[in-house]
Amino acid sequence: MKLTSIYHFMLLCLVQLLLACSKPQTKAELSFNHAPHGSVNAYISEDGQYSVNINHDNTVYFWNLKKQSLTYIWQQSSQLNDPIYLAHIASNNQYVVTAASSAFALWDAHSGKNLGYWQVKDAKIRDIKVNNAGSAIFIAQSDGKIIVFNPNQQSRLEFYGHSHAVNHLDIDDQGEWVLSVADDYSALYWHAATGKVKHKYTMPSRIHFAKLLTANLGYITTTTEHQIIDLHSGVVKFSLAGLDKTYTSAAYWYAEQNYLITGHSQQQINLWDIKTGKRIKTWSAQAKSSRAVDGGMIQSLAIDHEYPYIVSQSSIGFTEYWKIP
């Protein structure tokens, strides 16, 4: 064989190897279909043990993922003109909150009992969270207001830091600190009891997603920028590269390895080394079509620490398990 032929053969092998390495992994280690007709939204508990699926029949399904068993079936309201589309599990797995655009409900995840149902009449609910004690429910609204509601005392605090619709918020376990983002191009890190803003971050367009990673780090995104922010100093530490025009729909902080896991539209899951800002691996969840509702948008992420596996839930209703390299 001529030297030039050998060179071309070796070059071709190298290119094929690089292409193989760059392709996202599409085969999950385990896969379960928890919503055969697709999921409006889903939320996996922080420890990967439980999940909430909101189905298109306006019913909420609470799953035990370790046993792969359906534990509770909840119906917040029979009003089909105001369907449920939001859910959150407190980080200690004690409480679940669900919401439609004008009403929300609190559930005991241990007994399955409903603990209350309330309506919101002045604006539409855009996001909702509950703290570990079940004593504070955080409601992001379309008018730029955030309500901190105490279901035990039936009292509320109102936060007016944003001037436009609040798209997303995240809280610490106790509900003491909040990271909220809005259409006013701002992300605010603020104290829930006083409403005092510790830091304000601005981006060049609407911010649609926020995640508290640690006591000192947060993650905020637009469709073009994805920033890791320092909650102590108030500065942007760095941006994640290679996610242009990608909608971030979920994120999880894997503390043991200092990894950030992000979920996106178009089935994509990414693993990042937060020390370097570099992407370690990409996976691609199952999809039925290119439509967002059944195209595999990642709705929630967690870690099953036993293996450990990344656990994802997508809009087509699949719960999938991915091996961490």
Side-chain angles (χ1 to χ4, degrees):
M1 183 181 291
K2 294 182 179 179
L3 289 177
T4 53
S5 299
I6 296 174
Y7 171 78
H8 289 146
F9 175 76
M10 294 178 64
L11 183 61
L12 179 61
C13 291
L14 179 61
V15 169
Q16 289 177 337
L17 180 62
L18 290 173
L19 287 173
C21 292
S22 64
K23 288 182 179 180
Q25 179 181 327
T26 57
K27 181 66 174 178
E29 301 294 323
L30 297 167
S31 181
F32 303 93
N33 192 348
H34 289 142
H37 300 292
S39 174
V40 174
N41 207 343
Y43 193 89
I44 309 171
S45 64
E46 290 288 321
D47 59 4
Q49 303 294 302
Y50 304 96
S51 72
V52 175
N53 282 83
I54 303 172
N55 286 17
H56 290 280
D57 61 0
N58 208 30
T59 306
V60 180
Y61 295 83
F62 186 79
W63 288 87
N64 183 321
L65 297 181
K66 294 301 291 183
K67 298 180 180 179
Q68 287 302 316
S69 62
L70 179 60
T71 307
Y72 306 119
I73 299 176
W74 294 323
Q75 188 169 25
Q76 176 175 300
S77 170
S78 59
Q79 298 181 22
L80 296 178
N81 62 340
D82 192 21
I84 306 168
Y85 66 99
L86 294 169
H88 176 249
I89 305 173
S91 62
N92 62 356
N93 299 336
Q94 178 67 56
Y95 299 99
V96 177
V97 66
T98 58
S101 64
S102 62
F104 63 97
L106 182 65
W107 311 85
D108 187 318
H110 289 184
S111 68
K113 293 181 179 180
N114 176 256
L115 301 176
Y117 172 82
W118 301 270
Q119 290 184 312
V120 175
K121 298 181 178 179
D122 54 348
K124 293 185 181 299
I125 300 173
R126 301 289 297 270
D127 197 18
I128 196 162
K129 297 289 188 294
V130 61
N131 70 345
N132 276 354
S135 59
I137 299 173
F138 296 77
I139 307 159
Q141 297 191 168
S142 59
D143 60 356
K145 183 167 57 181
I146 297 174
I147 305 296
V148 184
F149 177 69
N150 185 324
N152 302 322
Q153 301 177 358
Q154 296 292 301
S155 61
R156 57 191 273 174
L157 300 173
E158 298 183 355
F159 177 75
Y160 291 93
H162 292 286
S163 59
H164 291 76
V166 182
N167 294 320
H168 199 257
L169 59 82
D170 196 21
I171 62 173
D172 63 6
D173 294 346
Q174 292 72 38
E176 295 179 355
W177 289 94
V178 186
L179 180 62
S180 56
V181 297
D183 280 352
D184 59 9
Y185 301 5
S186 73
L188 303 178
Y189 182 57
W190 51 281
H191 188 249
T194 64
K196 184 178 179 180
V197 176
K198 183 175 182 179
H199 293 301
K200 179 179 180 178
Y201 308 84
T202 57
M203 298 182 79
S205 59
R206 297 173 181 177
I207 310 176
H208 65 256
F209 185 83
K211 180 71 175 177
L212 289 174
L213 305 181
T214 69
N216 295 319
L217 290 178
Y219 173 54
I220 56 176
T221 74
T222 68
T223 54
T224 57
E225 292 194 29
H226 307 258
Q227 295 181 348
I228 303 297
I229 54 176
D230 190 314
L231 301 173
H232 179 70
S233 65
V235 301
V236 177
K237 291 183 70 70
F238 56 83
S239 295
L240 303 180
L243 290 175
D244 294 342
K245 298 181 180 180
T246 301
Y247 182 89
T248 299
S249 49
Y252 184 87
W253 173 250
Y254 184 22
E256 288 81 354
Q257 297 292 334
N258 282 325
Y259 287 165
L260 172 64
I261 307 161
T262 58
H264 308 272
S265 55
Q266 300 176 345
Q267 309 103 247
Q268 191 179 107
I269 303 167
N270 290 301
L271 180 66
W272 307 85
D273 185 337
I274 213 66
K275 293 179 181 178
T276 63
K278 294 182 178 180
R279 180 161 37 188
I280 300 171
K281 191 173 179 63
T282 297
W283 296 268
S284 183
Q286 294 189 51
K288 291 181 180 179
S289 76
S290 59
R291 295 190 306 163
V293 69
D294 60 2
M297 175 178 284
I298 305 302
Q299 295 175 331
S300 188
L301 292 165
I303 289 285
D304 184 330
H305 291 269
E306 184 178 345
Y307 296 100
Y309 283 157
I310 295 171
V311 190
S312 68
Q313 290 201 325
S314 68
S315 56
I316 65 168
F318 276 91
T319 303
E320 295 176 285
Y321 291 75
W322 311 90
K323 189 175 182 179
I324 301 174

